[in-house]
Amino acid sequence: MMREIFEKVLKNKKDKADYIEIRAEKKEFTTIHFQGEKLEKINCSQQIGGDVRALVKGGWGFISFNQFDNLEEKVSEAIEVARLIGKEESRLAVNSPVVEIIKQDLDKDFRQISLREKKELVGNYNNIIMNFSPQIQSSKVIYTDKFSTIYFANSEGSYIEQEKPFLSVSFTAIARKGDNVQIANESIGTTKGFEIIEKISPKAQRAASRAVNLLRAESVEGGEYTVILDQILGGVFIHEAFGHLSEADFLYEDERMSGLMKLGKKFGSPKLNVVDDGSIPNLLGSAKYDDEGIRTRKNYLIKDGILVGRLHSRETAAKMGEEPTGNARALNYRFKPIVRMTNTYIENGDTPFEDLLSGIKKGIYAKDCYGGMTTFEMFTFSAGEGYMIRDGKIAEPVKDVVLSGNLFTTLLNIEGVGNDLKMIESSGGCGKSGQGPLPVSFGSPHLRIKKVVVGGK
Amino acid sequence: MEKYLQQVGKKVDSAELFKVKSKTVPVNFEVNRLKSIDISESEGKALRVINQGRIGFSSFTGSEDFDLMVEKAVATSEFGVKASFDFPEKIEGGKKEKVIVYDEKVVDKSIEEMVKVGENIIERVKDFNPKLRCDVTILKDYSEVEYANSRGGSFSYNKTAIVYSMMVQQIEDQDMLMIYSSLESGEDKLNTEELVSEIMENIKWGEKIVPINNGKMPAIFTPKAALTLILPVIRGLNGRMVWEKISPLANQKNKKLWSQLLTLYNDGTIDFALGSAPFDDEGVEMKKYPLVEKGEIKNFYYDLQTAGMAGVESTGNGLRAGIQSEPAPTLNNLIMEEGTVSFSEMIEDIKEGIIIDQVLGLGQGNIISGAFSNNVQLGYKIENGKIIGRVKDVMIAGNAIEELKNIIALGDKSRWISGKYKFPHIYLKSLTVSTKGN
Ligand SMILES: [Zn+2]
């Protein structure tokens, strides 16, 4: 039904703009939120909304809405606004139209599960944390499920319908001993069914035990170390510190950075390969088509240590004379698609974990990520868990492990790439230009990096 | 709406339906150029039910599937909190005309006109100094609010808002001077000149960077920075925080806590203030009443549910943070009574001190305790009764609940901030200032 409505409007308005697209989104979602001993919030909602984006002389007009009654009027409004902004020539990478309807089958469809069953499952996980130890002071468990259907049509004749399920549970455990308060997080996110979150008690337990263990850990001694990153921290690093700099919309607005991100430049040892791939089935950042209707694909960003690619929307691809990569994504119908990552990872090398450890006299094994910040090429990440490495063996736990450095030197300092790549799917997501959290996944094998500055307390 | 409510009223004890329809048009200029106009229209409904004594809630946007909405609200009520109130039976409409929050001229203002306002601001800044980078947003908003409950209470009103906001940046070597300011009103009568001249004055004061000493010194908070001191008070007077005994102010009612000069009102009855409306979001009339009078706490603020739990009346502060949120205690507009001393008289009074105009990290940390620790993003040094320049890398810290005891004077001219706070300059006897410069 959406298709006829969209196509009729587009036919009538096509000549008034260089390009027009219409999107609609239908979603229902549930959130259940436990804090400490009590059920803090339970919410079931439904949203239907849409947007129109029009391009006139290089200027974009955009309008979002909840009522589809006067769709033609909305298109006119978007065109009108685009006219005020457009002052140059419109440029979009060429794409041949696609018509396709993509369904997503779930093993155990969470829409069919009663609210009571969901609440009880989440309540049980919360109890696991609260009862783990007398040192657990508080907890937070948040369950979210969301099922969206996205309808897309453009003035070039594309029409795509895609279903996008999303399910997540996050655990926070807060442990306390006197003034010493420690927090640990674990979470899971997926595009699959309810079965994925039915047996995750170990995760709840791990959050609690990590928080309690941190009470005993000593602060790390600051200094320069050889560091091994686990798959989570390696994944966060490649997404946050490197991935965002590969987003072309940012690059062509920043002369200095586009100089630093010149294709063909050496970024690491020949063992280093970095990929962003939205076409992997059923990962958090996956979709057959991006939000401009471009087919997603595997894009090498670094190949054999050399910078070979970047991420594009149709507009940035045309402006930089490259091919679109299927990376234009919108958080929801309230936002325009912008260049985003999908599933970003470092490919497997050939070094087993034990071999990465060997030869390190005094180093740090940093696991999980508790937060971080990047500004251009500088980054800082706090590890969620840390251990000293002594004489090639994992030794005592340490806390307050904060890694920082310059992206470019750090990539060059990667001296070992493991063979145990794991893709990480968490409840969080990526934020950019006010659009977040956008579901993405990231991953890495274990990485060994020399000369990393670690700040302790 | 009534039809729906009759239908759901048969299934639950009582029910309320809240509906908002709105349209926001922001005209954005970035780096001195028109960059985007992303129009947003929204329409949503929120249903709150009391079912077997418990509260259930569900919200929808765009859909007309009312049965599903009822089903979900009823389902959540099974796990909901115990209702300590019922929806108001009668909502007095007679006083509705008393507060004006709608100006047709805002609705009719064309996008072209808004673009011109923005271009005009940028021209003025360029004339002043062509090297400045200027970002401007001219925004208009129009909303229709409708409310009805199954016990017969109902109301509706329309509301407008217009905002001019700007940010100016001057980047030189390692130094970035960033100044922002905005004007908000429900009425289309904002004065561009007021906005631009304030920013230009600040740029002139900030041209020279001067060192400042560590230690305690007199301080003036401009209206823009006043929330640093007032945010802990706002949190502490929240009826929910008081009921849960989290607030350090919970047992301080009618006690003399702060300077004689400090008087704060909640006031939802001011024409065209952004926090004004005839009713709050659950049908209780908005009022003007004192929160703090001459340094003494007079009232806490409540919504229906929290008031019911505390055994008091709602103060008309039940507001929703969005269509997806249930009402919670929230101030209408917050007004601080003016003093008698002008800003320039304050400056003249100070031998060595600081003016705080913009801070980073507002609301971070343990605000409820009153503690604050902020980086001064924009501040000026006073020496011998004159502003001598801008300070850099300076932190301020203290406890707002303590600092408000030591107010020397309040300004004689208050200014609206974010359209819902009205503050004068606040002159404190002393404040801890630290700098990494020395
Ligand atoms: Zn990100």
Side-chain angles (χ1 to χ4, degrees):
Chain A
M1 205 181 74
M2 283 290 187
R3 185 172 178 187
E4 286 89 75
I5 301 170
F6 284 10
E7 283 176 351
K8 188 173 148 236
V9 173
L10 285 168
K11 202 174 131 227
N12 292 344
K13 292 285 173 186
K14 203 156 86 175
D15 305 333
K16 305 275 194 292
D18 298 328
Y19 171 82
I20 306 168
E21 68 190 20
I22 308 176
R23 208 172 287 107
E25 185 178 356
K26 212 178 194 171
K27 63 181 168 193
E28 44 186 294
F29 52 95
T30 306
T31 51
I32 301 171
H33 183 163
F34 275 90
Q35 187 152 11
E37 256 147 22
K38 68 178 203 261
L39 174 65
E40 181 80 12
K41 211 162 97 188
I42 191 159
N43 192 342
C44 296
S45 293
Q46 216 189 44
Q47 284 198 13
I48 297 177
D51 65 77
V52 171
R53 191 167 71 132
L55 180 65
V56 180
K57 291 193 176 149
W60 289 104
F62 181 80
I63 179 165
S64 67
F65 43 84
N66 298 116
Q67 266 316 337
F68 289 82
D69 299 351
N70 295 309
L71 191 54
E72 201 158 322
E73 228 169 75
K74 315 268 194 250
V75 175
S76 307
E77 238 175 301
I79 294 172
E80 221 172 277
V81 164
R83 274 211 191 101
L84 286 173
I85 299 171
K87 299 227 152 52
E88 44 191 62
E89 193 196 338
S90 293
R91 289 163 74 188
L92 278 187
V94 182
N95 184 47
S96 35
V98 187
V99 175
E100 196 168 335
I101 291 172
I102 300 149
K103 297 273 179 209
Q104 193 78 28
D105 283 323
L106 298 174
D107 275 353
K108 204 165 175 185
D109 190 336
F110 49 76
R111 291 171 296 177
Q112 310 301 330
I113 310 281
S114 74
L115 196 57
R116 169 161 289 275
E117 192 178 330
K118 291 174 185 171
K119 182 232 153 198
E120 265 157 23
L121 181 72
V122 180
N124 285 341
Y125 291 147
N126 189 56
N127 288 339
I128 290 175
I129 298 177
M130 289 305 288
N131 299 334
F132 182 83
S133 145
Q135 287 174 323
I136 293 288
Q137 190 198 24
S138 190
S139 66
K140 201 188 273 180
V141 179
I142 300 174
Y143 166 95
T144 307
D145 69 41
K146 183 169 84 185
F147 195 97
S148 326
T149 310
I150 311 210
Y151 308 81
F152 169 90
N154 69 22
S155 53
E156 297 165 347
S158 281
Y159 178 82
I160 301 166
E161 261 181 57
Q162 291 188 94
E163 287 184 341
K164 289 188 181 172
F166 174 78
L167 178 63
S168 79
V169 183
S170 73
F171 302 110
T172 304
I174 302 166
R176 180 182 194 139
K177 198 174 159 191
D179 284 346
N180 183 1
V181 177
Q182 297 296 330
I183 301 176
N185 294 303
E186 288 280 338
S187 76
I188 187 165
T190 181
T191 59
K192 302 191 193 88
F194 198 72
E195 70 280 1
I196 299 291
I197 61 143
E198 279 180 315
K199 293 189 180 71
I200 52 170
S201 314
K203 269 197 186 285
Q205 246 149 16
R206 197 150 57 232
S209 75
R210 277 179 41 207
V212 170
N213 286 342
L214 279 169
L215 290 175
R216 287 200 300 269
E218 292 293 321
S219 283
V220 68
E221 191 186 323
E224 208 178 75
Y225 291 92
T226 295
V227 169
I228 295 187
L229 305 185
D230 77 338
Q231 294 107 328
I232 300 179
L233 202 46
V236 172
F237 168 72
I238 208 63
H239 169 105
E240 290 295 344
F242 171 74
H244 280 291
L245 300 185
S246 299
E247 294 167 342
D249 52 346
F250 152 78
L251 280 179
Y252 82 87
E253 278 168 4
D254 192 306
E255 230 172 273
R256 192 181 73 91
M257 284 314 295
S258 60
L260 287 170
M261 295 294 287
K262 233 190 180 71
L263 298 186
K265 212 170 128 180
K266 182 172 187 244
F267 264 57
S269 84
K271 282 177 286 191
L272 184 67
N273 292 287
V274 180
V275 171
D276 182 273
D277 186 352
S279 68
I280 305 168
N282 299 325
L283 283 181
L284 283 176
S286 306
K288 190 161 178 189
Y289 298 95
D290 76 359
D291 290 316
E292 292 185 314
I294 300 290
R295 185 82 188 249
T296 55
R297 61 178 204 185
K298 181 172 183 176
N299 296 295
Y300 272 95
L301 301 174
I302 296 176
K303 196 160 196 179
D304 303 329
I306 307 294
L307 188 72
V308 292
R310 48 190 152 229
L311 307 176
H312 282 299
S313 64
R314 289 183 69 181
E315 189 177 31
T316 63
K319 285 187 172 167
M320 293 179 90
E322 295 171 11
E323 267 180 57
T325 56
N327 286 85
R329 302 179 66 194
L331 180 66
N332 58 43
Y333 66 89
R334 289 280 172 221
F335 298 96
K336 289 186 269 204
I338 54 175
V339 180
R340 301 302 292 262
M341 279 171 268
T342 60
N343 310 299
T344 315
Y345 62 94
I346 298 178
E347 281 187 331
N348 263 333
D350 49 16
T351 317
F353 182 56
E354 300 73 46
D355 294 1
L356 288 177
L357 280 169
S358 79
I360 301 179
K361 257 187 84 69
K362 188 180 168 197
I364 289 169
Y365 180 31
K367 291 180 73 172
D368 212 329
C369 186
Y370 182 58
M373 233 179 86
T374 59
T375 15
F376 300 108
E377 66 266 45
M378 302 310 291
F379 67 84
T380 332
F381 295 112
S382 305
E385 204 178 343
Y387 298 89
M388 292 307 296
I389 300 170
R390 297 190 190 277
D391 297 321
K393 297 236 157 45
I394 294 172
E396 78 276 12
V398 283
K399 66 179 177 190
D400 304 322
V401 176
V402 180
L403 314 165
S404 62
N406 173 295
L407 166 75
F408 301 108
T409 37
T410 307
L411 284 174
L412 286 165
N413 284 341
I414 298 180
E415 53 183 9
V417 180
N419 59 0
D420 50 3
L421 165 67
K422 206 163 100 186
M423 290 306 288
I424 309 301
E425 296 191 279
S426 70
S427 66
C430 170
K432 178 180 173 186
S433 308
Q435 295 197 42
L438 181 75
V440 293
S441 75
F442 44 74
S444 165
H446 275 96
L447 299 176
R448 171 164 157 174
I449 312 175
K450 63 182 178 190
K451 292 186 182 162
V452 178
V453 175
V454 177
K457 249 188 186 163
Chain B
M1 290 207 12
E2 279 76 9
K3 183 187 74 196
Y4 287 138
L5 283 162
Q6 275 169 12
Q7 191 185 321
V8 59
K10 287 176 199 148
K11 290 182 187 149
V12 294
D13 308 344
S14 49
E16 122 199 304
L17 191 60
F18 180 77
K19 189 173 151 188
V20 181
K21 193 173 156 183
S22 68
K23 179 164 183 170
T24 309
V25 182
V27 175
N28 291 313
F29 293 81
E30 252 176 60
V31 200
N32 309 332
R33 283 185 50 206
L34 178 60
K35 174 83 187 206
S36 64
I37 305 170
D38 294 354
I39 301 170
S40 163
E41 291 181 357
S42 66
E43 195 173 325
K45 292 192 197 80
L47 176 69
R48 189 163 56 151
V49 300
I50 299 175
N51 182 31
Q52 296 177 347
R54 291 181 180 273
I55 299 174
F57 181 84
S58 143
S59 73
F60 277 48
T61 61
S63 141
E64 287 302 324
D65 193 349
F66 193 72
D67 289 338
L68 191 59
M69 188 169 175
V70 174
E71 188 190 301
K72 300 218 155 161
V74 170
T76 62
S77 73
E78 198 184 329
F79 317 107
V81 293
K82 276 213 179 81
S84 57
F85 71 100
D86 209 339
F87 305 115
E89 272 179 319
K90 238 195 191 158
I91 296 171
E92 292 294 338
K95 294 178 183 163
K96 196 180 147 185
E97 298 309 314
K98 275 201 172 166
V99 52
I100 305 167
V101 292
Y102 174 78
D103 177 13
E104 202 166 357
K105 286 217 301 266
V106 173
V107 182
D108 293 342
K109 203 173 180 79
S110 72
I111 295 179
E112 285 84 352
E113 263 178 275
M114 293 166 69
V115 171
K116 277 207 190 91
V117 173
E119 285 172 347
N120 179 17
I121 290 174
I122 286 166
E123 276 312 307
R124 290 276 287 111
V125 173
K126 266 198 204 152
D127 286 349
F128 175 74
N129 179 350
K131 278 195 290 188
L132 295 172
R133 168 194 163 146
C134 187
D135 295 354
V136 175
T137 296
I138 308 296
L139 176 148
K140 70 167 185 173
D141 182 82
Y142 163 58
S143 54
E144 295 172 18
V145 176
E146 256 183 276
Y147 171 100
N149 66 44
S150 61
R151 286 156 56 84
S154 71
F155 70 85
S156 67
Y157 63 88
N158 297 342
K159 189 168 168 173
T160 50
I162 185 146
V163 179
Y164 296 179
S165 66
M166 66 186 291
M167 182 179 79
V168 170
Q169 287 179 65
Q170 180 178 289
I171 300 166
E172 264 165 23
D173 303 323
Q174 294 299 317
D175 176 53
M176 187 177 85
L177 168 61
M178 198 265 275
I179 305 177
Y180 56 78
S181 187
S182 65
L183 297 174
E184 297 86 1
S185 174
E187 193 181 14
D188 184 23
K189 54 139 216 210
L190 295 179
N191 184 351
T192 316
E193 207 40 50
E194 200 181 312
L195 189 66
V196 175
S197 57
E198 183 191 312
I199 289 224
M200 286 175 183
E201 187 171 45
N202 287 7
I203 290 176
K204 280 185 206 150
W205 288 341
E207 258 160 21
K208 208 171 118 199
I209 299 171
V210 294
I212 192 162
N213 292 318
N214 278 317
K216 289 212 154 218
M217 63 184 75
I220 304 169
F221 284 81
T222 67
K224 229 161 77 182
L227 271 178
T228 318
L229 297 172
I230 302 305
L231 219 48
V233 178
I234 295 176
R235 285 290 296 275
L237 295 174
N238 183 323
R240 171 103 204 173
M241 298 290 160
V242 170
W243 185 77
E244 288 182 358
K245 302 219 160 47
I246 300 170
S247 167
L249 307 178
N251 300 314
Q252 303 292 327
K253 202 165 163 181
N254 295 321
K255 285 185 201 157
K256 172 105 180 132
L257 201 56
W258 295 305
S259 157
Q260 180 79 9
L261 294 167
L262 187 68
T263 293
L264 293 167
Y265 283 94
N266 173 81
D267 190 351
T269 69
I270 304 165
D271 287 348
F272 297 120
L274 296 198
S276 294
F279 307 100
D280 71 0
D281 295 341
E282 43 185 6
V284 180
E285 195 185 337
M286 282 194 182
K287 289 193 291 270
K288 174 183 181 178
Y289 66 90
L291 293 158
V292 177
E293 215 165 50
K294 297 190 172 157
E296 266 178 42
I297 295 176
K298 288 295 167 197
N299 285 292
F300 303 118
Y301 57 98
Y302 293 97
D303 61 357
L304 283 169
Q305 169 71 4
T306 318
M309 295 190 297
V312 298
E313 293 283 299
S314 164
T315 49
N317 291 90
L319 297 177
R320 302 173 199 242
I323 204 76
Q324 283 177 44
S325 308
E326 289 183 56
T330 315
L331 289 174
N332 307 150
N333 300 293
L334 180 69
I335 313 299
M336 188 188 295
E337 212 156 76
E338 286 168 355
T340 53
V341 180
S342 73
F343 183 37
S344 50
E345 283 165 345
M346 289 178 185
I347 297 170
E348 280 161 29
D349 192 52
I350 294 175
K351 192 159 176 300
E352 190 183 350
I354 186 170
I355 297 170
I356 294 138
D357 193 37
Q358 290 172 192
V359 299
L360 285 178
L362 186 67
Q364 269 173 23
N366 190 7
I367 350 175
I368 189 84
S369 71
F372 65 88
S373 166
N374 300 91
N375 194 305
V376 179
Q377 189 194 43
L378 182 61
Y380 306 100
K381 174 149 188 226
I382 303 170
E383 237 176 64
N384 300 319
K386 284 201 175 66
I387 295 177
I388 59 157
R390 169 165 53 108
V391 295
K392 270 190 80 170
D393 299 323
V394 169
M395 298 282 298
I396 52 166
N399 185 299
I401 293 173
E402 294 304 311
E403 310 300 345
L404 291 172
K405 292 176 178 160
N406 300 314
I407 301 174
I408 294 183
L410 292 178
D412 60 357
K413 237 174 98 187
S414 55
R415 181 198 191 289
W416 283 100
I417 300 298
S418 308
K420 56 175 291 193
Y421 303 104
K422 201 177 182 196
F423 297 131
H425 288 81
I426 304 173
Y427 175 11
L428 295 184
K429 197 187 285 172
S430 90
L431 184 73
T432 304
V433 173
S434 57
T435 161
K436 62 178 177 195
N438 39 2

